[in-house]
């Protein structure tokens, strides 16, 4: 407020009062801030000063109206001063309450300490045993935090910042309830309950403290408001007086200062225009390009790489924009390349995946084949060993028996001859069995070898007939043979074909009764040789015609016949290798059976 | 000790068996049951060698091959006998140079006929004279 240099005692009064009012307010606020007693004395001082000053003013007032206002101000001020004292008092009480709070926290801490010691001793546990000491630890933490909070508030003079007891209340409740059922002795219970009730009171105290704090705030606001009222009133008064004086002085001054007033207006207009022009220029050449640059960067950031910045200027910003555009173009291209590469990579990945799949399958296949080969190898090795081990002793047995039988170790009486023959026959039987087993194995694993050469089937048949004779004679059976005189050439293994024929003939003999006929026929039909062996024995039941050719078929037979049931399966295996056919025809049980063999004939070259 | 027929088999019983049979027929037989013995017995004047195919260290087929490689022993006839009657075995024996392949168990008859084929009894009589 610029008061013109007019010498009036009123000015001084007002000044003093203004200052006084300001100081009064200051004192109250300061006290609330740092609780120092000196502010109280300041307040007292200012109060008395103001009273003196206002009276002074009133006495200097010319009009009644002014006097009236003066009185009002005086009254208002005294009320203000009073409320100031009240506030100070209130603050004192708050401080006390805060200290009470602190003391209470301290009490609880001590109680907790006693309780904890007691509990630890009784339960022979450690203060750090989380499980047993859970609630105590919980309490200790809460109390500790409260303590710290309260101390902090006291230190900082911020009572409205007391710890939020609403936050701690549920924790306290849960800790207490978890504990009260566990507590043993009476003294422990007492401690615990004391702690609990103290903490509850603590909460109540703190709530009151906060409420009072709010009240204090209100009081201060009221104080401020009242102060403003007085301020306004004072100002009004001052303004009135000043205006009066101003009018007088202004007229004097106006004449001399008119010119300066005009020029300042012209200056303002001119400078305004200048400013406007400058702003325009800046906007056009600096701000707009920068904004465009900003837009461009934002576009880039959001992925719109194709929207380039429009370069309008050749200056630094223009260069920057150009560089930026180049960069975005390059980045665009690079992104394209990357995407293409990614695609390629994906394709390669898929190919790789397929390749791996195929390889894995190959691996599996290879492993499978390797395993099979290994199994095969082991099996054939086993077979060789077995045959060797079986046949070697058989060789000895047969050999030595034959030696004895031949009379080389001594005379052999007739009965002994027969006995020895039996032994020899049985070694032969064993020998044949091992051979059969070996053959079956070989056929099963596809390893049976046959020596395919042109052979005369007739010769083979005749050989077989010679071999079978003893068997037939034993059972007094009759063998009818019907074979052509001419050679019948086939491609085959004579030993094996012989084996087949022997098998059929022995079967015919075995499965027929004594004194029954067996017929052996061989015919040449349209380039194929058909051999048949017919008997009048047990026959083949319906449904068994194919089964008889399976190894170890063990078909139900009406009579016991010795043999392993391997012969026919071996025969079939042999004939299959010769590209021939073997089958049986029979009308049923005890209706006899005819076994057929078919082999392709080969032409004999007339040489 | 000189003899005309050499029989090699690690099975002593079979060795003996063959010896009895052939001796009875009039041959002079020497036997070897190990490879070392075989090397001791080998003689250019042998008239026939019988080998079992399955033997430790070297089998009959390998020994046969060795015999046929050396010019001094190459013309001595070799008979290989085996428990295996497989065609493959027979082929292997013949490929190794063996003159005959015999399947165990064999009858006295079979054995003597084959031996006679390559070392006729008549000639033996000539030798011993």
């Amino acid at each position: 407020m610029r008061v013109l240099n007019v010498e009036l005692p009123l000015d001084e009064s007002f000044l003093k009062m203004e200052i006084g009012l300001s100081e009064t307010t200051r004192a109250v606020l300061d006290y609330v801030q740092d609780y120092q007693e000196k502010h109280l004395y300041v307040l007292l001082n200012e109060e008395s000063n103001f009273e003196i000053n206002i009276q002074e003013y009133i006495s200097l007032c010319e009009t009644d109206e002014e006097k009236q206002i003066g009185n009002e101000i005086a009254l208002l001020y005294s009320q203000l001063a009073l409320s100031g004292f009240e506030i100070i008092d209130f603050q004192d009480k708050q401080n006390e309450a805060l200290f009470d709070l602190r003391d209470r926290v301290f009490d609880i801490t001590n109680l907790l300490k006693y309780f904890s010691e007691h509990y630890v001793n009784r339960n022979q546990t450690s203060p750090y045993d989380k499980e047993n000491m859970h609630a105590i630890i919980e309490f200790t933490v809460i109390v500790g935090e409260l303590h710290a909070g309260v101390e902090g508030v006291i230190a900082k003079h911020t009572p409205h910042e007391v710890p939020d007891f609403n936050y701690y209340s549920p924790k306290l409740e849960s800790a207490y309830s978890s504990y009260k059922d566990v507590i043993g002795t009476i003294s422990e219970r007492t401690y615990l309950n004391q702690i609990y009730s103290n903490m509850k009171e603590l909460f109540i105290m703190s709530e009151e403290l906060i409420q009072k704090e709010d009240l204090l705030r209100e009081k201060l606001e009221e104080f401020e408001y009242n102060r403003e009222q007085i301020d306004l009133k004072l100002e009004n008064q001052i303004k009135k007086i000043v205006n009066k004086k101003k009018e007088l002085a202004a007229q004097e001054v106006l004449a001399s200062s008119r010119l300066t007033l005009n020029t300042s207006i012209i200056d303002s207009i001119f400078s305004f225009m200048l400013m406007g022009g400058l702003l325009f220029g800046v906007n056009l050449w600096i701000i707009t390009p920068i904004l465009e640059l900003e837009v461009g960067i934002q576009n880039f950031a959001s992925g719109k790489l194709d929207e380039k910045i429009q370069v309008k200027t050749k200056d630094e910003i223009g260069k920057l924009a150009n560089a930026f555009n180049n960069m975005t173009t390059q980045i665009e291209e690079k992104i394209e390349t990357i995407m293409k590469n990614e695609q390629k990579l994906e394709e390669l990945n898929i190919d790789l995946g397929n390749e791996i799949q195929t390889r894995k399958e190959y691996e599996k296949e290879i492993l499978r084949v390797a395993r099979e080969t290994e199994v095969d190898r082991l099996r054939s090795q086993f077979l060789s060993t077995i045959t060797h081990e079986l046949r070697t002793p058989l060789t000895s047995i047969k050999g030595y028996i034959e030696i004895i039988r031949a009379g080389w170790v001594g005379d052999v009486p007739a009965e002994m001859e027969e006995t020895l023959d039996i032994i020899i026959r049985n070694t032969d039987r064993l020998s044949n069995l091992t051979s059969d087993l070996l053959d079956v194995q070989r056929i099963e694993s596809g390893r049976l070898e046959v020596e395919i050469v042109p052979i005369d089937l007739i010769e083979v048949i005749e050989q077989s007939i010679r071999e079978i004779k003893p068997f037939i004679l034993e059972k007094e059976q009759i063998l009818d043979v019907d074979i052509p005189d001419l050679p019948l050439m086939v491609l085959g293994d004579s030993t094996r074909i012989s084996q087949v024929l022997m098998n059929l003939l022995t079967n015919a003999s075995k499965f027929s009764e004594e004194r029954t006929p067996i017929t052996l026929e061989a015919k040449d039909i349209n380039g194929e040789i058909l051999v048949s062996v017919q008997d009048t024995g047990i026959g083949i039941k319906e449904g068994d015609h194919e089964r008889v050719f399976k190894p170890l078929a063990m078909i139900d037979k009406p009579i016991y016949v010795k043999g392993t049931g391997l012969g026919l399966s071996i025969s079939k295996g042999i004939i299959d290798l010769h590209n021939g056919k073997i089958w049986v025809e029979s009308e049923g049980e005890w209706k006899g059976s005819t076994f057929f063999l078919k082999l392709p004939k080969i032409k004999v070259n007339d040489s | 000790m000189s003899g005309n027929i050499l029989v090699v088999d690690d099975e002593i019983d079979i060795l003996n068996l063959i010896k009895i049979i052939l001796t009875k027929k009039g041959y002079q037989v020497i036997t070897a049951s190990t490879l070392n013995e075989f090397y001791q017995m080998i003689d250019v004047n042998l008239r026939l060698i019988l080998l079992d195919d399955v033997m430790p260290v070297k089998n009959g087929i390998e020994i046969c091959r060795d015999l046929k490689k050396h010019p001094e022993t190459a013309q001595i006839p070799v008979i290989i006998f085996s428990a295996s009657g497989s065609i493959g075995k027979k082929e292997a024996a013949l490929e190794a140079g063996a003159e005959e392949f015999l399947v165990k168990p064999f009858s006295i008859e079979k054995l003597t006929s084959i031996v006679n084929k390559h070392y006729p009894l008549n000639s033996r009589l000539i030798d011993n004279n």
Side-chain angles (χ1 to χ4, degrees):
Chain A
M1 186 195 75
R2 204 169 53 146
V3 181
L4 292 166
N5 232 2
V6 179
E7 280 181 44
L8 280 169
L10 275 169
D11 293 343
E12 223 182 287
S13 272
F14 275 116
L15 200 62
K16 282 187 205 161
M17 283 193 286
E18 286 266 357
I19 293 168
L21 187 63
S22 164
E23 286 299 305
T24 308
T25 317
R26 182 86 272 121
V28 171
L29 291 175
D30 280 353
Y31 190 89
V32 166
Q33 196 67 30
D34 59 17
Y35 326 129
Q36 291 191 58
E37 255 192 348
K38 64 179 183 190
H39 303 307
L40 183 61
Y41 295 128
V42 165
L43 182 62
L44 286 164
N45 210 25
E46 290 304 322
E47 194 196 5
S48 53
N49 282 346
F50 194 93
E51 276 173 16
I52 293 167
N53 289 332
I54 196 71
Q55 290 310 321
E56 220 177 70
Y57 166 76
I58 291 166
S59 63
L60 287 170
C61 283
E62 288 167 3
T63 64
D64 279 51
E65 194 196 326
E66 283 168 8
K67 282 193 177 144
Q68 174 69 24
I69 290 170
N71 283 324
E72 278 173 28
I73 290 171
L75 186 65
L76 281 171
Y77 181 84
S78 63
Q79 279 174 347
L80 187 75
L82 192 68
S83 70
F85 285 119
E86 275 176 24
I87 284 168
I88 287 171
D89 200 37
F90 198 89
Q91 182 61 65
D92 282 344
K93 289 208 169 66
Q94 280 292 81
N95 291 348
E96 263 180 57
L98 197 57
F99 288 125
D100 280 349
L101 200 69
R102 173 216 254 170
D103 289 338
R104 191 57 69 100
V105 170
F106 189 68
D107 288 340
I108 294 169
T109 311
N110 283 335
L111 279 169
L112 208 52
K113 205 173 76 166
Y114 294 140
F115 174 73
S116 174
E117 280 168 9
H118 200 96
Y119 188 80
V120 163
N121 281 333
R122 184 176 77 80
N123 290 305
Q124 304 279 302
T125 179
S126 134
Y128 307 106
D129 176 11
K130 276 197 191 143
E131 212 185 46
N132 280 318
M133 301 293 282
H134 165 73
I136 295 175
I137 291 169
E138 204 54 47
F139 279 143
T140 313
V141 166
I142 294 170
V143 167
E145 284 177 20
L146 287 174
H147 196 163
V150 167
E151 290 295 329
V153 159
I154 291 169
K156 290 189 293 182
H157 306 296
T158 53
H160 54 279
E161 279 181 17
V162 287
D164 181 10
F165 290 92
N166 288 325
Y167 168 68
Y168 290 104
S169 173
K171 285 190 174 191
L172 171 71
E173 293 300 322
S174 81
Y176 175 72
S177 60
S178 78
Y179 227 101
K180 71 176 165 62
D181 295 326
V182 177
I183 300 306
T185 66
I186 293 174
S187 44
E188 275 174 17
R189 275 191 193 278
T190 315
Y191 278 138
L192 186 72
N193 288 332
Q194 274 182 6
I195 292 166
Y196 181 67
S197 52
N198 269 300
M199 290 196 85
K200 292 207 92 152
E201 274 176 52
L202 195 73
F203 288 136
I204 296 164
M205 284 162 69
S206 73
E207 270 185 51
E208 279 174 18
L209 195 74
I210 290 165
Q211 279 167 6
K212 293 257 168 73
E213 201 60 31
D214 292 339
L215 199 58
L216 183 64
R217 292 274 145 251
E218 277 171 36
K219 282 191 195 289
L220 281 166
E221 276 171 34
E222 226 185 278
F223 184 88
E224 190 58 41
Y225 177 78
N226 291 335
R227 189 199 77 98
E228 267 179 46
Q229 299 309 310
I230 299 170
D231 223 3
L232 277 168
K233 279 213 185 318
L234 278 172
E235 266 197 54
N236 278 337
Q237 290 303 99
I238 291 168
K239 272 184 193 155
K240 276 186 200 160
I241 294 164
V242 165
N243 283 339
K244 262 193 224 165
K245 310 298 173 202
K246 241 190 185 173
E247 271 174 43
L248 289 167
Q251 281 159 14
E252 278 174 49
V253 172
L254 197 64
S256 61
S257 68
R258 195 172 299 221
L259 206 63
T260 39
L261 199 69
N262 283 344
T263 49
S264 59
I265 290 169
I266 292 163
D267 275 332
S268 312
I269 292 167
F270 187 71
S271 51
F272 183 73
M273 279 170 64
L274 199 69
M275 187 65 75
L278 206 66
L279 280 169
F280 181 74
V282 164
N283 193 52
L284 182 67
W285 293 305
I286 297 174
I287 292 175
T288 310
I290 290 175
L291 286 174
E292 282 191 4
L293 198 66
E294 197 188 335
V295 168
I297 291 170
Q298 278 179 357
N299 279 339
F300 174 76
S302 55
K304 299 183 208 164
L305 294 180
D306 45 345
E307 289 191 26
K308 304 280 183 267
I309 300 165
Q310 301 200 17
V311 186
K312 286 180 192 150
T313 58
K314 291 208 177 111
D315 61 355
E316 284 73 21
I317 292 180
K319 284 188 200 156
L320 186 66
N322 269 333
F324 191 78
N325 284 339
N326 281 339
M327 182 190 77
T328 53
T329 313
Q330 281 189 34
I331 287 174
E332 246 186 316
E333 286 169 10
K334 289 246 166 5
I335 288 175
E336 257 191 66
T337 321
I338 288 171
M339 279 172 65
K340 278 200 195 121
N341 283 340
E342 262 187 30
Q343 212 178 340
K344 266 194 220 158
L345 201 70
E346 246 196 71
E347 284 169 19
L348 280 172
N349 240 13
I350 291 170
D351 283 343
L352 194 69
N354 287 340
E355 182 74 22
I356 289 172
Q357 192 61 31
T358 322
R359 294 264 169 101
K360 276 198 181 148
E361 279 166 19
Y362 276 141
E363 248 184 59
K364 260 197 243 168
E365 190 62 24
I366 288 168
L367 282 171
R368 192 183 62 79
V369 170
R371 223 177 282 124
E372 274 184 18
T373 316
E374 181 64 17
V375 166
D376 253 5
R377 194 186 68 80
L378 288 170
R379 187 199 277 145
S380 64
Q381 205 173 22
F382 173 72
L383 285 173
S384 320
T385 316
I386 282 284
T387 27
H388 187 264
E389 290 306 306
L390 285 170
R391 283 179 166 165
T392 304
L394 279 172
T395 311
S396 287
I397 294 168
K398 181 170 167 141
Y400 285 105
I401 296 292
E402 280 189 337
I403 285 171
I404 295 170
R405 175 80 176 70
W408 299 351
V409 253
D411 286 329
V412 180
E415 308 88 46
M416 199 185 284
E417 270 182 19
E418 223 180 283
T419 312
L420 295 170
D421 280 335
I422 292 166
I423 296 172
I424 291 167
R425 268 211 305 281
N426 278 284
T427 54
D428 282 337
R429 195 169 149 192
L430 272 175
S431 213
N432 290 335
L433 184 63
T434 57
S435 303
D436 281 353
L437 281 169
L438 199 63
D439 282 343
V440 164
Q441 271 302 320
R442 289 209 189 114
I443 289 167
E444 293 238 314
S445 59
R447 282 162 171 270
L448 187 70
E449 289 169 329
V450 287
E451 213 177 355
I452 306 288
V453 290
I455 54 169
D456 180 11
L457 195 58
I458 300 297
E459 264 187 46
V460 178
I461 292 171
E462 283 176 347
Q463 171 62 27
S464 309
I465 292 168
R466 282 196 285 276
E467 272 187 64
I468 201 66
K469 273 253 162 69
F471 285 97
I472 305 282
L473 284 173
E474 242 195 74
K475 285 179 90 168
E476 292 179 68
Q477 289 160 333
I478 306 142
L479 182 63
D480 285 326
V481 181
D482 181 10
I483 55 178
D485 290 324
L486 303 158
L488 286 175
M489 298 305 283
V490 294
L491 284 169
D493 184 323
S494 57
T495 322
R496 293 297 184 174
I497 299 288
S498 173
Q499 191 178 352
V500 173
L501 288 168
M502 282 305 294
N503 175 232
L504 295 181
L505 289 167
T506 30
N507 281 349
S509 175
K510 278 199 292 191
F511 293 107
S512 304
E513 303 215 282
E514 294 176 353
R515 292 186 286 272
T516 55
I518 296 169
T519 317
L520 171 63
E521 265 184 43
K523 275 191 270 218
D524 180 352
I525 302 170
N526 298 336
E528 286 185 320
I529 314 285
L530 191 68
V531 180
S532 63
V533 176
Q534 186 181 30
D535 66 69
T536 54
I538 61 169
I540 310 284
K541 269 194 300 205
E542 195 179 304
D544 283 343
H545 290 64
E546 298 218 359
R547 263 187 70 201
V548 287
F549 292 101
K550 294 229 189 315
L552 305 167
M554 294 300 168
I555 309 260
D556 286 331
K557 295 184 273 281
I559 52 170
Y560 168 72
V561 174
K562 58 183 176 196
T564 54
L566 295 171
L568 280 173
S569 75
I570 295 171
S571 295
K572 181 168 192 305
I574 291 168
I575 296 302
D576 283 345
L577 282 170
H578 282 77
N579 288 320
K581 260 194 84 181
I582 183 166
W583 71 98
V584 66
E585 282 173 26
S586 170
E587 292 186 21
E589 218 169 69
W590 285 118
K591 301 241 169 88
S593 15
T594 311
F595 280 82
F596 289 95
L597 255 190
K598 205 197 283 187
L599 289 167
K601 181 184 168 183
I602 49 167
K603 290 248 190 275
V604 181
N605 291 333
D606 291 288
S607 46
Chain B
M1 177 176 152
S2 72
N4 307 115
I5 299 182
L6 172 63
V7 188
V8 189
D9 194 341
D10 61 330
E11 296 271 354
I12 310 276
D13 288 341
I14 300 205
L15 215 54
N16 227 26
L17 177 70
I18 297 173
K19 185 169 180 175
I20 291 171
I21 295 169
L22 294 177
T23 312
K24 190 76 184 182
K25 292 293 170 185
Y27 296 101
Q28 268 190 298
V29 183
I30 52 173
T31 59
S33 62
T34 65
L35 196 63
N36 284 335
E37 278 178 28
F38 166 73
Y39 288 138
Q40 282 167 20
M41 306 269 180
I42 202 75
D43 190 309
V44 294
N45 296 315
L46 287 168
R47 293 298 300 277
L48 187 65
I49 300 174
L50 279 94
L51 302 167
D52 183 33
D53 78 331
V54 175
M55 281 192 286
V57 187
K58 262 196 186 169
N59 67 33
I61 290 172
E62 286 169 341
I63 293 175
C64 178
R65 225 176 268 138
D66 284 346
L67 286 168
K68 293 302 175 188
K69 252 191 256 173
H70 286 86
E72 305 110 323
T73 51
Q75 68 270 48
I76 305 171
V78 174
I79 298 172
I80 294 179
F81 49 92
S82 165
S84 169
S86 77
I87 306 235
K89 219 16 168 282
K90 182 172 173 183
E91 278 176 2
L94 296 175
E95 256 174 61
E99 271 74 14
E100 289 291 339
F101 181 76
L102 194 58
V103 181
K104 286 195 289 195
F106 42 75
S107 59
I108 297 177
E109 216 184 289
K110 186 86 185 180
L111 176 67
T112 48
S113 77
I114 284 186
V115 167
N116 193 56
K117 182 175 168 188
H118 294 276
Y119 185 12
L121 284 161
N122 334 347
S123 57
R124 184 206 57 82
L125 287 166
I126 295 165
D127 280 337
N128 280 355
N129 277 354

